[in-house]
Amino acid sequence: MALVLICLTACQRTSTFPNSPGVLPGWRAALGAEQRVRGFVLDPSEPLPRLDPRSTLVVVDRNWRVPEASTAERHRKVLREFVEKGGRLLLFGHATRMVHDLEIEAERPECSVYRWGFDRRAMSGEAELSMHVVSGHEPELFEGLTPGVSEHSFPITGGTPCHVPLCAWQVGGSKSGRVLARLGEVLDGEPAALGPPVVLQWQLGKGQVMACGLVPHLNHEREAVRTNAREFVARCADWAERQGGDELVLLEVLDRTPHDVAAESLGPPIVPWLAHWGWQVALYDGDEPDSLRPMEELVRDALVPGWMHGADIVELSLTDAQHGAPITWPESDPIEPPVTYRGTTPLGSWANGGFRTFADEAHTRGLLVFGGMDPLPVGDRPAERLVLLRKHARELMGLRRHGSSAWDGFGLRQWWPDPQGLGLAMVQDYQPSASLYCVGERVPKMAGSLRAVDADDGALRGLSLAGIADGWRAGFAFDQYPVGVLDARVVGDRFPGVGVRGGGSYGDWLVRQLNEFVRERRLRGGTALWRRHDPRNLGPDTVDYVQGLSLEPLRAAVATPLSATGRDGIRAAARELIADAPQDFGAAVDAPAAVHVLQNNWFRLLGSGGALAFDPRGLGRFESNAVTISPGFCATRMFGGRPDASEIKAERHNLLASGHRGEGDYRKYVRIAIGERGDGRLPALLAADHAPQWPAGVVFDWQPSTGYHELRAELRCENGGGLVGIFLDDTLLKAVACHGTGRQPELIVPVHIAKRGARTLRIELLEGHMIAIDRLQLHRAGDIGVEAEVQIAAGSVAKLLERSTSSYHEERVTLTAMADVPGFVMQTRCDKAARNLQVERRLSLPGYHTVTGSLPGDDEKARRQAFVLTSTDTSKPDICIVPLSMPRYERLRVDGQAVIWRGAPEPGLTTRIGFLFWPHGRGHESLQHLPRILDGIDRPTAVDLSRNGHMDLVSDLPITQSRLLHVQSDVRTPFLVRERGYWTMRGSQPAADGGVYLRVHQEPSDVVRIVAGPSVLARTRPGPGSLRILAMQEPTPRSVTATVLQKSRLRAPSVVMAVDFDEVQVNGKPWSFFDGRTIYLPDVPGIYEIKTTFAGARLAKPKDPHVRSTAAPLMACSYDAGTNELVFETTSGHNRPAGLPWTAVLTGPMPVAIENGEIVDAASLQLPDAAAQAAAERGGVLVRFRSGKTTVRYAGWNAVAGR
Amino acid sequence: MERSSWTLIIIAALGAAALVLSFVPSAWPNPLEGVNEAQRIERLPQLADAAAAVDAACRKGDAVAFAEATTASYRKDLEQRLDAVEATLTGQTLQAMAAGASGYEQWLAQPLWALEATGPVAVAAVARSTGDGAQVLVFDWDGEQFKLDEVRHVVRVTGPEQAKTFVRELLQQR
C-alpha cells in the first residue's frame, strides 16, 4: 500500500508555470476547482516557461484597445508546438487573433472595439452581446446557460453604453475552424441581425484550440449576463478537462492603456491642460450665394479674439449644405472635376487669394488653419471624395507654392473605410505636415488621421440638442479621440450638414462639455474645437464663455445660470419629449434653471443660497466623488424693519385680456407692452420656424415693480407641441415640455425682479411644432425679489452678482472666483435699508464646529479676523474664513454647524469675506497671509506695461500664490510670461473697465516678467500651433532651451527664432528640420536645447539642404556636408500604416539618390499650369519615404552658387 | 272711517312702501364718478375720511377696523411685505407701523394734482412734501364707503398734468 502511495505521489506532476495570485482572480474563481489553476502575465518581452502539453492555456485579453503588434515571435513557435503536442489553448477577446499568428487559421480575424451608445442612433445605449449557437458540436459548452432573445442565444457581455473588445471573422470566413457560435446583438432591447462567427474551434496536431472573440463579463450588472459569463468560463474549463487537461494556466495579456507622462513636473508652473483650442468659423452667414462673411470680419471677430484668449488653431468651415465649396473648379483643370461637385465662386475679400491671406493672418499669430468640410460637396463615391480632397489640398495647402500661406489640414465628417490612408496621401503630397481629423463616432477610420469626438453624437434620437459630457455619452478614450468638436450653438442650425441642428448650448453646458473633454486629455495632446463662430448660432454671451473656458481649460472660473443643465432647464425639458429617453440626457444639477452658479475646478456654489461642493482632486467633478460642504450655503433673514406705507399695491396682469390674434404677418417674435396701449393680442399659436404664418415667441415689454412675481400659464399642444422656454431678458427661467394632446397642466413660473427698469419676458417655442396659450397671468406674490446676473462669465476670473430688493432694502452680493484657486470672495453692499432693519446671514457648514486657528486679537464671540474651521469629517477640507473688510457693527460667530453673520445694514456699507478651502487639518498654516491672497481675487493688482511692453512683478509674501493682474494697457496680443525662469505664451481675459486680466504664478523669490504687444512677435517665441505646448528658458535671438510640455499631434512643436540662421543644433547635435526661422522639434515631451549659427549675409551662403516640412516623427535629422547626405530617421511611435509613405519637402538641390524613399514626380501632382510648377520647384523638392532611416544624397552641390 | 277701510289703507301703504323700497339701491354709486372736477374736489374729504379711518385703526392697533377700512388686496400686499421681515398683520404690527408715521390722511392735505374716478375706483394724486414725485392713493367704493386699495409713490410724476395722465392710465388698466 505504501508503495502504491509512493508511486502515485511520484506520478503527481509538479507544475512548471509561475503563479501570480493577482492575475485574473475573477477568472480563477469562475474556472472552478476541479483542476489546478495557475496564472501569470503574458509579457511579449519575456520568454514563456516550458509548456507541458497536459496543461490548458487560457489566454485572456481584456483590453478593448486593438493590439498593434501580432503575437511575439518568440512566443509563436513555443505555443504552436504546445498545441501540436496535445496542449489545449483557450483564447478570449483579442487573443483570438493568435490563431492566425500561430498559423492555425489562414484567415485573419478582425480585431475591433464593439461600441454602442456613443452616437445618436442609440436611445438608452444598451447593448447585450451573446453567443448565438449555430452548430451542434460541443453542446456541453453552453449547457446551463440562460438563453436570451432566442433559445440558442446566450448573452455573456454588454453594457450601457457598450464598449468591449470584439475579435471576429467579419470580412472573410474562417478557413479551418469550426464555427460554434456567431455574434448576437440586442441593441436598446431590439435584436439585430446575426453577426460574424465569434466562437470557433480548431484541431492542430494532437491539440485543440478554442477561441471566443468576446470577453465574458464576469461582473456584469445584470445577473443573467453575469451568470452566463461565469458558467461559460466554467464550461470551457470542463471542456479542457474532457480533452485531457489536468491544469489550467491563465495568461493575462498586458494592459494596453497608454501611460503618457504628465509634464507637470517638467517646469513651468502654469501649463495649459489642452494642447490646442480654436473656433470652427462659418464662412457663410446666410442662405444666399453671396452671403460670405468678409474675411476681415472673421479675423476681427473670431481669429484675433480667440488668439488673445490663447487659441492656436482655427477651422474655417469651407463647405455648407447650401453653398457647397467656395473653390472654382474649371473643366480644364488637370484634376478632373467630379460630376457631383457643388461649388461657388469665392467673392469679395475671398477672391484673388483671400484664403491664403486668411492663412497668413493666422500663421503670423501662431495659429494653425484647418478647412472644415461638412458636408463633402460631392457624392459618396470614394474616387470623387479623393479627388475633391486633392483639389482642395492643391489650392489651399501647396506648401511649395504658397509657403507660409499654406493651410495645415482638413476636418472631415464623412469618409469611407480607408485603411490605406489614401485621403491623407492626397493632402500630404502638397502639404507634407498636414493633419486630417475625422469627426464623429460613425466616420469610418482613415489611416493616419486623427479621430475627433463629435458633439452631435450626443444628440438623442428625435432631438437636436447636441453635446457629450460626464455621464452622457462619455467614453471616448483620449488616445483614440485626441480631438473634440464641442457644441456652442445656442440657436440651432437651419441646415446642419451631416450633423444635428444643435441649440440650447448655454454656458453651463459648455462647461460640462469642455470639462469632460479635458479631464482625460489634460497634458496629453488634446485639441478642442468649438462649433461654431456663426452669428446665426451664437447667444449673447456664448463667445465670452467659449473664450473664457478655453483660456483656462477645466481650471477656469465660471459664472453661469443652469439654463441647460438645471432640473427645469432645456435638456431636462427636452428629455420629456422623448419616450423612454435616458435620465442622464436631462438634468445634471439638482437646482432650478434660473439658479446661477459660480465654480472652478475646485468648488461649485449654486448661488449664495445653494449647495457648496468641493472636488478634492481639483478636476471639476461635482456630481460624484465630490465633497458637499454645505447643502445650502447662505440663508439671509431680515427683521426689525417696518413696511413703507407709501408703496403698497397689488400687481396683477391678465396678458390675454385683449384676446388672440390670427394667422399671418408675423416675425420670429411678437412684441407686446404690458400695461400700455397698442395691440395687446397674443398670437393664437406659437410655432417654431413658421414665420410669417406664426411667430416662434412672444416678447412682453414690462416695467415691473421689484419683488417676487408669478407667471401662471395654461398651454395647449397643437400638432405635437414642443419645447417651450420662458426667459426674463435673455436668462432662461424655466423650460417646459409641451407634449401629448390638449391642454397642459397649469404652468407656474417664479419671476424674481430685483433690478428696476424695463424688462422683457419672453415665451418661446424653442423646438417642436406648435403650441397655444390659453391663459396667461402675471401677479406679484412676494415682497422680496432676488435676481442673479453674470458680471464676468468665464476665464481667469468670474463674477456673479446677486441683487436682493424688497420694500425694506436693496442689496448687492457679489461672488468672485479665480481659476484654479479653491475659494471665493463674497462681497455685500447695501444700497438701501429701512430704519431699524437688521440682517442675519447663516452660513450653513454642517460638521464644521471647531475653530482650529485664528489670527491674534480675535474675539470668539464676535469674530472680525481670519479663522479656520475644521470638520469632524477628515474628507472635508478646512475652511479659512477671512474677513477682508467689515463695517463696524458686523460680526461673525460660530454657532454649532453654522457661522452667523449679523449686522445692521446702512446704505453704502460694504462687507467682504473670503472663503478658502485648504487640506484638512492644515488650514492654520498660512492663515496670516490669506487676507492678502484673497483680497487679490476680487481686487486684482493693477499694473501697467512699460513703453516697451513689459513689466516685472515681485512679491513680499513668503508663500506661493496665484495672482490676478489687471493689465490696464491696451494689449492686442497674448502675453509672454516668465515664471520660475520659464517663458510661456498666455492668453488674457478682457476686463469690462478696460485692459485685460492675466493670471500669473508668483513664487516668493521669483521675479515674474510679463511682455505683451508687438515685441512678442519680434522675439524668439513658440511657432505656429505651439503656443500652448512650449515653454522656453533663456531665450535669445539665437538660442533657447525649449520644453515641449505635451504632444501636439497636429503639427511638430516649433520655435520661431528672432533672427535668421544657417545651422541648428538641438541638444548638441546638428538638426536639419527647419523652415525659414521656424525650427521644428520632435513631438515628444522633453527638453530641447537649441542653438543656431549664422554665417552672415556677406557670405551669401545659402542654407544646407534640410527638411522644410514633414509630418513624420523625426528623431534625427542632419545634413553632413562632408558626405553630401541628408539623413533623417523616424521614431516607431506612430500609427501610420506601413503601406502609406511619408512625404517631406526638402530645400536644396535635386537629390541624386534617396535611400528608403523617392522623389515625387512633378507631373503626378497635377499642378494647374507651368507657372505653378515653377513656383513649386522653387519651394523645394517633394520626396516620399518610408518609416525608418532615410538618406538623401546630393552631388555637385555648390554651396556658394546654390542651385 | 270704517275699520275695513283703515285696514285697506294700511295694506295699500305697506304695499306702496314695499314697492318703493324695492327700487332703493342697496349700494350707492361712487360719489366721485360722473361729476365734474370741481365737484370731485368738493368731495375729496370723503377720501380723507377713508384715509383717516385707516390711520385711526393703525394707531389703535385695531385689526378689525383696519380690515373694514382697507380692501383685501391692500391687506394681502401688506401681509406680503410683513412676511419679508418675519412679521404678521396684527394690531401690534399696525401700531408699530403707525408710530412715527405721518399717516395717509395727511397726504391728502398736500397739493392735489389729480383726482379721477371710474366705476368703483377713485384715485387721488398729490404732491409729496419731500418733492420726490407724486403720492397716489387708490380707493375702492364698496357701495357704502371708500376703502383704501393701493398706495403708490410715483417718482416720474412731477406735476399736475403728468399726474392726470398717470391717473387716467391707471384707471384704464384696472
Side-chain angles (χ1 to χ4, degrees), chain A residues 10-33:
Chain A
C11 292
Q12 185 76 39
R13 96 184 148 90
T14 306
S15 178
T16 56
F17 295 104
N19 187 25
S20 305
V23 169
L24 301 169
W27 282 72
R28 285 172 189 262
L31 285 167

Side-chain angles (χ1 to χ4, degrees), chain B residues 25-103:
Chain B
S26 60
W28 297 99
N30 181 351
L32 270 66
E33 194 197 14
V35 296
N36 62 33
E37 190 176 5
Q39 290 169 319
R40 278 202 299 276
I41 292 170
E42 274 178 19
R43 295 174 189 181
L44 181 64
Q46 290 190 40
L47 299 184
D49 289 346
V54 179
D55 292 342
C58 289
R59 277 195 300 275
K60 289 178 192 166
D62 185 344
V64 177
F66 184 78
E68 286 173 359
T70 54
T71 63
S73 159
Y74 177 92
R75 292 194 299 279
K76 188 176 175 190
D77 191 58
L78 183 59
E79 281 168 355
Q80 282 176 6
R81 283 161 203 265
L82 289 168
D83 189 46
V85 285
E86 301 179 3
T88 53
L89 184 54
T90 62
Q92 205 174 358
T93 317
L94 290 173
Q95 279 183 317
M97 281 172 58
S102 55

Side-chain angles (χ1 to χ4, degrees), chain A residues 637-650 652-653 675-677 780-784 806-808 837, chain B residues 73-74 76-78 80-82 84-86 96-100 104 107 128 135 149-153 169 172-173:
Chain A
R637 286 177 60 212
M638 290 191 299
F639 50 93
R642 287 183 309 187
D644 177 6
S646 67
E647 189 77 32
I648 296 176
K649 62 184 179 189
R652 182 178 288 273
H653 303 281
E676 290 183 21
R677 290 174 194 166
R780 189 172 183 274
D783 192 43
I784 303 178
S806 72
S807 53
Y808 305 89
L837 184 70
Chain B
S73 159
Y74 177 92
K76 188 176 175 190
D77 191 58
L78 183 59
Q80 282 176 6
R81 283 161 203 265
L82 289 168
V85 285
E86 301 179 3
M97 281 172 58
Y104 292 128
W107 280 348
R128 280 175 68 96
Q135 189 66 45
D149 184 51
E150 193 175 292
V151 189
R152 291 187 188 208
H153 172 199
E169 284 177 0
Q172 271 182 353
Q173 288 169 24

